[in-house]
Amino acid sequence: MQRIKYQAYIDKIQSPEKAALLIKNHHVLGVSGFTKAGDSKTVLPKVAERALHEELKLTVLSGASLGYDTDADLAKNGALYKRMPFQADPTLRKSINNHEVLYVDQHLGQTADMLQNIDTFKIDVAIIEALAITEEGYIIPTTSVGNSPIFAEMADKIIIEINGSFPKSLAGIHDIKLLKKQPNREIIPVLQSDTKIGDPYIKINPEKVVAIVFTEVPDSPAIISAPDEKTTAISGHILQFLDKEVAEGRLTESLLPLQAGIGKTANAILSGFKDSNFKNLTMYSEVLQDSTFELFDSGKLIFASASSITITESCAEKVFNDFDQYKDKLMLRPQNISNAAEVISRLGVIGINTAIEFDIYGNVNSTHISGTKMMNGIGGSGDFARNGYLSIFACPSISKEGKISHIVPMVSHTDHTEHDVDILVTEQGLADIRGLAPTERARLIIKNCVHPDYKDQLLDYFETAYALGGHTPHILQDTFSWHTQLKKHGTMKMNELASNHF
Amino acid sequence: MQRIKYQAYIDKIQSPEKAALLIKNHHVLGVSGFTKAGDSKTVLPKVAERALHEELKLTVLSGASLGYDTDADLAKNGALYKRMPFQADPTLRKSINNHEVLYVDQHLGQTADMLQNIDTFKIDVAIIEALAITEEGYIIPTTSVGNSPIFAEMADKIIIEINGSFPKSLAGIHDIKLLKKQPNREIIPVLQSDTKIGDPYIKINPEKVVAIVFTEVPDSPAIISAPDEKTTAISGHILQFLDKEVAEGRLTESLLPLQAGIGKTANAILSGFKDSNFKNLTMYSEVLQDSTFELFDSGKLIFASASSITITESCAEKVFNDFDQYKDKLMLRPQNISNAAEVISRLGVIGINTAIEFDIYGNVNSTHISGTKMMNGIGGSGDFARNGYLSIFACPSISKEGKISHIVPMVSHTDHTEHDVDILVTEQGLADIRGLAPTERARLIIKNCVHPDYKDQLLDYFETAYALGGHTPHILQDTFSWHTQLKKHGTMKMNELASNHF
Ligand SMILES: CC(C)(COP(=O)(O)OP(=O)(O)OC[C@H]1O[C@@H](n2cnc3c(N)ncnc32)[C@H](O)[C@@H]1OP(=O)(O)O)[C@@H](O)C(=O)NCCC(=O)NCCS
Ligand SMILES: CC(C)(COP(=O)(O)OP(=O)(O)OC[C@H]1O[C@@H](n2cnc3c(N)ncnc32)[C@H](O)[C@@H]1OP(=O)(O)O)[C@@H](O)C(=O)NCCC(=O)NCCS
């Protein structure tokens, strides 16, 4: 109760069950939550439960993926008509790929603009997790800001979920500003990762608040496997490359603000900076993972701006038990500002993201397994890759005991085009394709990034295609033969097939 | 001579032949010129001539395509090692597709950044067309700004070509500012199309000027075929769509700043605005074509910012004979500012570009015929599509007497991904795919945009793929069968094939 400084809300306190009843069939919901951080822990799960017994077909917009089993339960219980702009849940993924749920896979920096520009998604109810409520009735968010400010602005009704599990000292790390619709869009005056441009709370119209609920459930912890041989090698190649850029005077030892994608690879890469020669690093990113705090502790990193904090259980214990030591080094922003083209291009962010596969000409697939099945979504990778100073994509050269090569003749789905990709890296090595023509890129990528088991096979494809001519040589009838072979025969290796079959 | 206000340059006046001798084998050249406007009319052609008799392998960077036969002659005479960031010449295109010339097809807004960020292209000589020289020795450009400011800044030596064919009243329409490399990149404070932020000339170090030559040759005229039934229909669909946006309150009758791509389709679309209900239109574009001046004359357009003026002979006669009537309505900027992500997103530009083909999920191919052969290049289309308010792509539904459908199962090359495309339009109709999942997009695109001759065939593909499952249904072994059939049998029509063959 002491977390609510606005009296008029006291009357609105109710149980999550009751608050969940405010959601009606066909509603459009805007919910807080960004890669498991700062999501609704009680009301949205109760909504999912209701769908077990009654017809609920909801359109659910979030910041990014939700924590616990919320996305899974919403999907399993048939509560979802449409979901956007990101998810990362195995059950929901299955429903999407089975055509049970419509999914709009969107640049995370662009959802707020879309809501201002089209009328398709009139937000009926926003459900927003809060650390506390200010005297004006404004919302202080928790571990993510995401799209909450625009949801609160556009929603007819707002449900606030106050989470007592986070230390109050989180207050003050948020920097929130709503951008006006064009032609009145203002300059976003972020000049460095730590430039403050807004308020430490989400301004809302208190009249729209229809329910306040309480919870003590912490964020679902991130699960991150430890760096292994491959991810450590990838990290090493990137550090070596950046060392060279510094040595040759193209970057300083503080580099430029770093962005790192989600998952094990990105986390391992960033961890690697602990033992680097760089100093006074900064981040202008989307998600802060464990590695961010390791870098703070090692003294390498001096400031990190993002839209959420998504960390493991042990990291959370350390960070939230003594948050004051990190407080001045962190800032959480709305995702249309953490991912703004304007700021990313001005600051010259170095974006490091993971690919599902990439091709010999530098196109990257971040989203679709074999061109058809959605994995997670593009997330913010495109926001950073398109407009940053340097766009790095990493993945292992092979997986599944070598049955899959992650470098293929042509990506089966394109999320980042050849025009937007600068550096490709696997545990085998790194290819800097800036300023190269497609045929130059192909030779370099095959030489540096491809696993020895696939080198000849890929070179064969390239040379055969090259002989046919064309700026970007391809054998159109064979481009996806690696993917179709994998499906039919369980491996992309052609010679293995040959020896198996003859 | 009266066009040179800086005495020290007088000694440097020489013949184009002699100036051309300053170019050595393996040099990297940065040359003015953007879609035929403001290019070198004498020195670069003389360089091409030299290559007939001696070994010259040059890397040539420009703003965009060059005029007359310069690109053709450079290619034909073997003078090119590498060319970037854009071209649109049939002879050069052939050399690129035959692997005689390396070509880097680049977002036009990003070449300047690349030059600041990598050392691969140290500009040996910049060749820049000038209207006149200021008292400080600075360059006043002609009909384009393009990449000239960054070339002049980075070059060891500068050759200036003074073109007396343009009226002196062109002086004053340029707005030039060099952006600093990150982390010192400044805000680009353009708040409206007409915001002036720089100087009306290119500041250079006069010591770097090694030759001044004179020419009276005007720009090569644009050749634009008149609007026909198809382009008029496309224009009509776009106007109708925008009318609806205004009627429903999402846009005002001034819309937002317009960008229009090159060529007949874009020009016809823009011409259509003459007879629209919109008022006080503005442009924040890359190239101004005839249609821009028609819109000025009709009173619909009040201001246009771009990087070049590329108009037909008759339009040029009208415009340059009485330039004062347009002078205050125009501004030419460096292409990294006309195409800046920061400005395009802030102003909310409505980008209208032409596609070679698009697919049922909204991916667009702007560059490659059948996935391999380079046509022109991506130009600025990606700069606008990625960051604008609205990204519209247009093309005819069919061509070559119906043998080619421009809507295909999967584009054979991806320049603009599903994440970046809002509106697709052919003479058949328009599809607004904002906020739609892939399967929703496919049904709408097939219904609204596809030619009746291909509707069943495309629906067949989609329904068969849909039955296989997946967020983005595809039949990987068949995705490019339309393109391979076209190559083998001269048509994408499958039933025609069936009846021909059986
Ligand atoms: C691309 C991405 C899925 C990689 O994540 P990751 O944790 O490194 O990789 P994963 O191991 O989970 O997933 C890759 C899987 O796809 C499989 N895969 C890749 N190519 C495949 C193919 N052609 N056929 C079948 N499976 C394939 C891999 O084998 C692996 O499977 P596994 O999980 O069974 O081992 C993830 O980074 C992502 O979702 N990125 C997009 C969003 C983003 O970039 N956000 C950044 C800003 S936050
Ligand atoms: C896409 C682009 C080539 C279209 O230009 P256009 O003048 O409308 O179209 P064109 O008629 O010249 O070219 C299309 C040609 O490709 C052909 N084509 C398209 N798909 C084809 C296919 N699958 N197989 C064979 N040919 C195909 C068309 O039939 C047509 O051929 P034609 O010239 O013999 O009639 C042009 O707009 C462009 O280069 N765009 C990229 C750059 C850009 O967008 N810049 C904008 C910012 S300035």
Side-chain angles (χ1 to χ4, degrees), chain B residues 86 259 261-262 264-265 286-287 353-357 366 369-370 375-381 399-400 404 406 483 486 492:
Chain B
F86 189 74
Q259 175 263 342
I262 47 169
K264 164 174 128 174
T265 310
E286 199 181 82
V287 179
N353 291 288
T354 315
I356 284 180
E357 60 183 8
S366 291
I369 302 292
S370 283
M375 184 80 185
N376 301 324
I378 192 166
S381 55
S399 64
K400 313 273 186 210
I404 294 174
H406 291 269
H483 298 88
L486 175 69
M492 287 182 172

Side-chain angles (χ1 to χ4, degrees), chain B residues 282-338:
Chain B
T282 57
M283 292 185 76
Y284 195 81
S285 195
E286 199 181 82
V287 179
L288 305 181
Q289 299 191 77
D290 288 23
S291 48
T292 298
F293 296 91
E294 290 171 27
L295 289 178
F296 279 140
D297 293 346
S298 72
K300 287 283 176 197
L301 182 68
I302 55 171
F303 198 86
S305 161
S307 197
S308 86
I309 300 172
T310 301
I311 47 184
T312 60
E313 203 159 0
S314 63
C315 183
E317 200 164 304
K318 196 190 65 167
V319 167
F320 294 128
N321 278 343
D322 185 12
F323 194 69
D324 282 340
Q325 67 167 309
Y326 298 109
K327 191 164 173 164
D328 296 337
K329 299 177 181 164
L330 276 183
M331 196 182 289
L332 296 185
R333 306 181 188 269
Q335 67 199 69
N336 59 331
I337 294 183
S338 64

Side-chain angles (χ1 to χ4, degrees), chain A residues 286 353-354 356 369 375-378 381 399-400 404 406 486:
Chain A
E286 199 179 83
N353 291 287
T354 315
I356 284 181
I369 302 292
M375 183 80 184
N376 300 326
I378 191 166
S381 56
S399 64
K400 313 271 185 211
I404 295 175
H406 291 269
L486 176 68

Side-chain angles (χ1 to χ4, degrees), chain B residues 28 41 161 287 296 368 412 429 449-450 500:
Chain B
V28 177
K41 315 289 193 298
E161 201 170 308
V287 179
F296 279 140
H368 285 70
S412 57
C449 303
V450 174
N500 282 352

